[in-house]
Amino acid sequence: MEDTFGRKVDYLRLSVTDLCNYRCRYCMPAEGVCKRGHGEILSVEECVEIVQAAAKCGVSKVRLTGGEPLVRRGILDICRGIAAIPEIEELCLTTNGSLLPELAAPLRQAGADRLNISLDTLRPQRFTHMTRVGRLEDVLRGMDAAREAGFLHTKLNVVLMKGFNDDEIPDFVDIARRFPVEVRFIELMPIGEGDSEQFLPGEAVLTACPDLSPIEDSGVAQRYRPSVGQGLVGLIQPMSHRFCGGCNRIRVTADGKLKPCLHDCQELPLRGLHGEELLRAVQRGIAAKPERHYMAETGHSESGRNMNQIGG
């Protein structure tokens, strides 16, 4: 299905929880978020039903997000239910990786096709400082477990932050030289807990690593190949190179609200809807996608929620 600006919408990002076992400083408050009652978040059955409706609208790719999706009870049942929908060609998850040592193999068996692992620093002390509670070694073990479970084309998501990890850009690019992964550098967005003074444009990666050669784009990422190595480097630049014209996604929050745009305050309630009524609601959500966001002009997101409440 196309939106009113002629963009084909075929990608759904579904948040299955707003809880996380980390407290990353740009994402969540130090005390975390209040745990919702069981009846306040989408059930396993509701998650699958919403994806079924989205599939009838042309969605073929689903990404499960959080918070941290792997803390969600029933995550394997959600994966199995979505993977069984004939129209869904790709089921992905974005995770901090800390629980993959135990869950990578079960996720693969449940039908998950690919993983994005969020990792903003390769230095143990920095990692614990940023996450407030995490250990880098858990994520590294998770990456190994994902590889052993048969996950291919894994991507590492690195949020660029001036004064925090800008000196590690060559170290992350070196991962793409040594392993068949895509390291994606993402510009820090002015949403939730993010500090705008830490913003670093994506071009900083090209300055730090001039041997990167451009290749074809993939979705919202401008992609590059190192002069040697097996992997790729991607730049996702929502601030300095707004990519709204090619946006092909909608989002559903863990409490069942469809957001046509990450940075817009519009939300359409889906809970309690079934059959044709749910289908029409998803169609309205796709039609409601705005032409673009205005963060560059206003300096802030109009999302109305923190990132962990929407899904990264």
Side-chain angles (χ1 to χ4, degrees):
M1 178 177 171
E2 292 187 351
D3 67 9
T4 55
F5 298 97
R7 295 170 296 198
K8 181 182 178 181
V9 177
D10 56 8
Y11 181 9
L12 168 64
R13 298 176 73 104
L14 173 63
S15 173
V16 295
T17 181
D18 59 1
L19 299 178
C20 186
N21 54 340
Y22 286 172
R23 303 287 183 269
C24 292
R25 294 175 183 272
Y26 61 84
C27 182
M28 296 184 72
E31 65 276 12
V33 297
C34 293
K35 187 174 182 179
R36 295 174 181 268
H38 181 71
E40 295 182 82
I41 64 170
L42 293 170
S43 67
V44 171
E45 294 77 15
E46 287 174 316
C47 288
V48 175
E49 188 177 11
I50 286 171
V51 176
Q52 288 172 333
K56 292 179 181 178
C57 295
V59 165
S60 58
K61 177 179 177 179
V62 175
R63 178 175 299 281
L64 301 182
T65 67
E68 168 51 48
L70 300 191
V71 305
R72 167 65 195 262
R73 184 180 301 175
I75 185 62
L76 298 177
D77 291 329
I78 293 173
C79 288
R80 280 189 283 264
I82 294 173
I85 300 172
E87 297 90 345
I88 300 304
E89 299 171 1
E90 187 175 24
L91 173 61
C92 312
L93 290 91
T94 294
T95 171
N96 62 34
S98 63
L99 300 177
L100 284 175
E102 298 79 25
L103 287 174
L107 284 168
R108 192 76 184 93
Q109 294 165 3
D113 297 301
R114 193 169 53 76
L115 300 173
N116 282 25
I117 299 175
S118 300
L119 181 60
D120 298 324
T121 177
L122 298 169
R123 302 186 183 182
Q125 289 186 329
R126 284 186 184 178
F127 185 89
T128 299
H129 170 77
M130 172 55 68
T131 63
R132 293 189 173 103
V133 294
R135 300 188 309 167
L136 177 61
E137 62 189 86
D138 295 334
V139 181
L140 299 180
R141 286 177 54 234
M143 292 168 62
D144 289 339
R147 186 166 53 252
E148 292 168 3
F151 282 103
L152 303 176
H153 310 297
T154 297
K155 296 175 182 176
L156 294 186
N157 290 346
V158 184
V159 177
L160 285 169
M161 286 171 278
K162 184 190 300 182
F164 176 72
N165 61 4
D166 45 351
D167 59 339
E168 296 186 65
I169 291 173
D171 298 330
F172 276 109
V173 172
D174 192 51
I175 293 176
R177 293 190 176 99
R178 293 187 291 122
F179 300 100
V181 301
E182 182 172 333
V183 179
R184 288 192 161 189
F185 294 94
I186 304 171
E187 289 182 342
L188 182 66
M189 294 177 284
I191 180 173
E193 306 291 317
D195 181 359
S196 60
E197 293 184 0
Q198 287 190 294
F199 173 79
L200 190 69
E203 279 79 1
V205 175
L206 304 181
T207 300
C209 300
D211 70 311
L212 296 176
S213 300
I215 60 172
E216 74 282 357
D217 294 348
S218 175
V220 299
Q222 296 175 312
R223 297 198 302 172
Y224 300 81
R225 190 182 303 279
S227 55
V228 295
Q230 308 176 63
L232 300 174
V233 172
L235 302 184
I236 298 179
Q237 304 175 85
M239 299 299 293
S240 59
H241 286 77
R242 186 174 54 222
F243 43 71
C244 301
C247 182
N248 65 338
R249 66 193 61 180
I250 54 174
R251 297 171 184 261
V252 174
T253 64
D255 58 353
K257 305 292 177 58
L258 189 156
K259 289 186 72 69
C261 171
L262 169 61
H263 299 294
D264 191 271
C265 63
Q266 290 186 89
E267 295 186 351
L268 287 76
L270 300 181
R271 296 202 73 191
L273 305 181
H274 305 281
E276 287 298 317
E277 195 176 16
L278 176 59
L279 177 62
R280 288 194 296 270
V282 174
Q283 291 171 334
R284 288 195 298 271
I286 293 174
K289 277 182 68 65
E291 184 176 14
R292 66 183 184 91
H293 67 68
Y294 294 89
M295 290 189 296
E297 293 89 340
T298 65
H300 65 273
S301 172
E302 301 289 343
S303 63
R305 297 182 185 231
N306 277 9
M307 199 68 177
N308 68 288
Q309 298 172 312
I310 303 172

PDB file of all heavy atoms in Angstrom, residues 254-269:
ATOM      1  N   ALA A 254       4.322  -0.750  22.109  1.00  0.00           N
ATOM      2  CA  ALA A 254       3.992  -1.920  22.919  1.00  0.00           C
ATOM      3  C   ALA A 254       2.596  -1.841  23.521  1.00  0.00           C
ATOM      4  O   ALA A 254       2.005  -2.869  23.871  1.00  0.00           O
ATOM      5  CB  ALA A 254       5.032  -2.089  24.029  1.00  0.00           C
ATOM      6  N   ASP A 255       2.055  -0.617  23.645  1.00  0.00           N
ATOM      7  CA  ASP A 255       0.691  -0.478  24.157  1.00  0.00           C
ATOM      8  C   ASP A 255      -0.342  -0.374  23.034  1.00  0.00           C
ATOM      9  O   ASP A 255      -1.485   0.000  23.256  1.00  0.00           O
ATOM     10  CB  ASP A 255       0.575   0.710  25.119  1.00  0.00           C
ATOM     11  CG  ASP A 255       0.979   2.035  24.490  1.00  0.00           C
ATOM     12  OD1 ASP A 255       1.472   2.036  23.348  1.00  0.00           O
ATOM     13  OD2 ASP A 255       0.816   3.076  25.158  1.00  0.00           O
ATOM     14  N   GLY A 256       0.085  -0.699  21.801  1.00  0.00           N
ATOM     15  CA  GLY A 256      -0.869  -0.860  20.717  1.00  0.00           C
ATOM     16  C   GLY A 256      -1.272   0.389  19.967  1.00  0.00           C
ATOM     17  O   GLY A 256      -2.376   0.456  19.430  1.00  0.00           O
ATOM     18  N   LYS A 257      -0.373   1.369  19.873  1.00  0.00           N
ATOM     19  CA  LYS A 257      -0.652   2.583  19.100  1.00  0.00           C
ATOM     20  C   LYS A 257       0.176   2.571  17.818  1.00  0.00           C
ATOM     21  O   LYS A 257       1.389   2.354  17.859  1.00  0.00           O
ATOM     22  CB  LYS A 257      -0.313   3.835  19.923  1.00  0.00           C
ATOM     23  CG  LYS A 257      -1.005   3.907  21.282  1.00  0.00           C
ATOM     24  CD  LYS A 257      -2.489   4.097  21.133  1.00  0.00           C
ATOM     25  CE  LYS A 257      -3.174   4.101  22.505  1.00  0.00           C
ATOM     26  NZ  LYS A 257      -2.649   5.137  23.400  1.00  0.00           N
ATOM     27  N   LEU A 258      -0.478   2.805  16.696  1.00  0.00           N
ATOM     28  CA  LEU A 258       0.230   2.883  15.427  1.00  0.00           C
ATOM     29  C   LEU A 258       0.744   4.304  15.235  1.00  0.00           C
ATOM     30  O   LEU A 258      -0.041   5.256  15.275  1.00  0.00           O
ATOM     31  CB  LEU A 258      -0.692   2.480  14.266  1.00  0.00           C
ATOM     32  CG  LEU A 258      -0.039   2.314  12.894  1.00  0.00           C
ATOM     33  CD1 LEU A 258      -0.877   1.371  12.025  1.00  0.00           C
ATOM     34  CD2 LEU A 258       0.177   3.630  12.148  1.00  0.00           C
ATOM     35  N   LYS A 259       2.049   4.432  15.033  1.00  0.00           N
ATOM     36  CA  LYS A 259       2.662   5.734  14.763  1.00  0.00           C
ATOM     37  C   LYS A 259       3.074   5.770  13.296  1.00  0.00           C
ATOM     38  O   LYS A 259       3.964   5.023  12.883  1.00  0.00           O
ATOM     39  CB  LYS A 259       3.879   5.973  15.658  1.00  0.00           C
ATOM     40  CG  LYS A 259       3.524   6.220  17.126  1.00  0.00           C
ATOM     41  CD  LYS A 259       4.748   6.598  17.945  1.00  0.00           C
ATOM     42  CE  LYS A 259       5.255   7.979  17.638  1.00  0.00           C
ATOM     43  NZ  LYS A 259       4.348   9.047  18.097  1.00  0.00           N
ATOM     44  N   PRO A 260       2.428   6.613  12.493  1.00  0.00           N
ATOM     45  CA  PRO A 260       2.816   6.702  11.087  1.00  0.00           C
ATOM     46  C   PRO A 260       4.240   7.198  10.889  1.00  0.00           C
ATOM     47  O   PRO A 260       4.877   6.881   9.891  1.00  0.00           O
ATOM     48  CB  PRO A 260       1.804   7.697  10.510  1.00  0.00           C
ATOM     49  CG  PRO A 260       0.632   7.660  11.459  1.00  0.00           C
ATOM     50  CD  PRO A 260       1.234   7.430  12.804  1.00  0.00           C
ATOM     51  N   CYS A 261       4.745   7.973  11.867  1.00  0.00           N
ATOM     52  CA  CYS A 261       6.098   8.530  11.779  1.00  0.00           C
ATOM     53  C   CYS A 261       6.708   8.560  13.167  1.00  0.00           C
ATOM     54  O   CYS A 261       6.038   8.939  14.138  1.00  0.00           O
ATOM     55  CB  CYS A 261       6.061   9.936  11.186  1.00  0.00           C
ATOM     56  SG  CYS A 261       7.638  10.847  11.260  1.00  0.00           S
ATOM     57  N   LEU A 262       7.966   8.189  13.270  1.00  0.00           N
ATOM     58  CA  LEU A 262       8.661   8.195  14.560  1.00  0.00           C
ATOM     59  C   LEU A 262       8.613   9.567  15.206  1.00  0.00           C
ATOM     60  O   LEU A 262       8.439   9.686  16.426  1.00  0.00           O
ATOM     61  CB  LEU A 262      10.122   7.763  14.343  1.00  0.00           C
ATOM     62  CG  LEU A 262      11.090   7.949  15.518  1.00  0.00           C
ATOM     63  CD1 LEU A 262      10.644   7.131  16.715  1.00  0.00           C
ATOM     64  CD2 LEU A 262      12.503   7.562  15.094  1.00  0.00           C
ATOM     65  N   HIS A 263       8.753  10.624  14.413  1.00  0.00           N
ATOM     66  CA  HIS A 263       8.917  11.971  14.956  1.00  0.00           C
ATOM     67  C   HIS A 263       7.655  12.818  14.861  1.00  0.00           C
ATOM     68  O   HIS A 263       7.718  14.044  14.905  1.00  0.00           O
ATOM     69  CB  HIS A 263      10.088  12.671  14.261  1.00  0.00           C
ATOM     70  CG  HIS A 263      11.382  11.947  14.462  1.00  0.00           C
ATOM     71  ND1 HIS A 263      11.979  11.829  15.686  1.00  0.00           N
ATOM     72  CD2 HIS A 263      12.164  11.252  13.591  1.00  0.00           C
ATOM     73  CE1 HIS A 263      13.095  11.138  15.575  1.00  0.00           C
ATOM     74  NE2 HIS A 263      13.223  10.772  14.316  1.00  0.00           N
ATOM     75  N   ASP A 264       6.509  12.172  14.743  1.00  0.00           N
ATOM     76  CA  ASP A 264       5.232  12.871  14.697  1.00  0.00           C
ATOM     77  C   ASP A 264       4.390  12.405  15.885  1.00  0.00           C
ATOM     78  O   ASP A 264       4.500  11.257  16.321  1.00  0.00           O
ATOM     79  CB  ASP A 264       4.516  12.579  13.372  1.00  0.00           C
ATOM     80  CG  ASP A 264       3.322  13.474  13.159  1.00  0.00           C
ATOM     81  OD1 ASP A 264       2.216  13.103  13.609  1.00  0.00           O
ATOM     82  OD2 ASP A 264       3.481  14.536  12.544  1.00  0.00           O
ATOM     83  N   CYS A 265       3.537  13.277  16.400  1.00  0.00           N
ATOM     84  CA  CYS A 265       2.760  12.927  17.589  1.00  0.00           C
ATOM     85  C   CYS A 265       1.508  12.105  17.277  1.00  0.00           C
ATOM     86  O   CYS A 265       0.822  11.649  18.190  1.00  0.00           O
ATOM     87  CB  CYS A 265       2.371  14.193  18.356  1.00  0.00           C
ATOM     88  SG  CYS A 265       1.302  15.310  17.419  1.00  0.00           S
ATOM     89  N   GLN A 266       1.202  11.907  15.995  1.00  0.00           N
ATOM     90  CA  GLN A 266       0.010  11.120  15.643  1.00  0.00           C
ATOM     91  C   GLN A 266       0.130   9.692  16.161  1.00  0.00           C
ATOM     92  O   GLN A 266       1.162   9.044  15.984  1.00  0.00           O
ATOM     93  CB  GLN A 266      -0.149  11.046  14.129  1.00  0.00           C
ATOM     94  CG  GLN A 266      -0.534  12.320  13.432  1.00  0.00           C
ATOM     95  CD  GLN A 266      -0.791  12.034  11.964  1.00  0.00           C
ATOM     96  OE1 GLN A 266      -1.910  11.716  11.567  1.00  0.00           O
ATOM     97  NE2 GLN A 266       0.254  12.139  11.153  1.00  0.00           N
ATOM     98  N   GLU A 267      -0.951   9.193  16.756  1.00  0.00           N
ATOM     99  CA  GLU A 267      -1.015   7.806  17.198  1.00  0.00           C
ATOM    100  C   GLU A 267      -2.433   7.297  16.983  1.00  0.00           C
ATOM    101  O   GLU A 267      -3.389   7.952  17.380  1.00  0.00           O
ATOM    102  CB  GLU A 267      -0.634   7.679  18.666  1.00  0.00           C
ATOM    103  CG  GLU A 267       0.808   8.043  18.972  1.00  0.00           C
ATOM    104  CD  GLU A 267       1.192   7.759  20.405  1.00  0.00           C
ATOM    105  OE1 GLU A 267       0.292   7.429  21.216  1.00  0.00           O
ATOM    106  OE2 GLU A 267       2.388   7.857  20.742  1.00  0.00           O
ATOM    107  N   LEU A 268      -2.550   6.137  16.369  1.00  0.00           N
ATOM    108  CA  LEU A 268      -3.864   5.538  16.121  1.00  0.00           C
ATOM    109  C   LEU A 268      -3.995   4.273  16.967  1.00  0.00           C
ATOM    110  O   LEU A 268      -3.181   3.362  16.845  1.00  0.00           O
ATOM    111  CB  LEU A 268      -4.032   5.182  14.641  1.00  0.00           C
ATOM    112  CG  LEU A 268      -4.239   6.315  13.640  1.00  0.00           C
ATOM    113  CD1 LEU A 268      -2.918   7.039  13.372  1.00  0.00           C
ATOM    114  CD2 LEU A 268      -4.819   5.793  12.337  1.00  0.00           C
ATOM    115  N   PRO A 269      -4.990   4.200  17.856  1.00  0.00           N
ATOM    116  CA  PRO A 269      -5.133   3.018  18.711  1.00  0.00           C
ATOM    117  C   PRO A 269      -5.585   1.803  17.914  1.00  0.00           C
ATOM    118  O   PRO A 269      -6.502   1.874  17.094  1.00  0.00           O
ATOM    119  CB  PRO A 269      -6.194   3.452  19.718  1.00  0.00           C
ATOM    120  CG  PRO A 269      -6.973   4.528  19.025  1.00  0.00           C
ATOM    121  CD  PRO A 269      -5.994   5.232  18.135  1.00  0.00           C
TER     122      PRO A 269
END
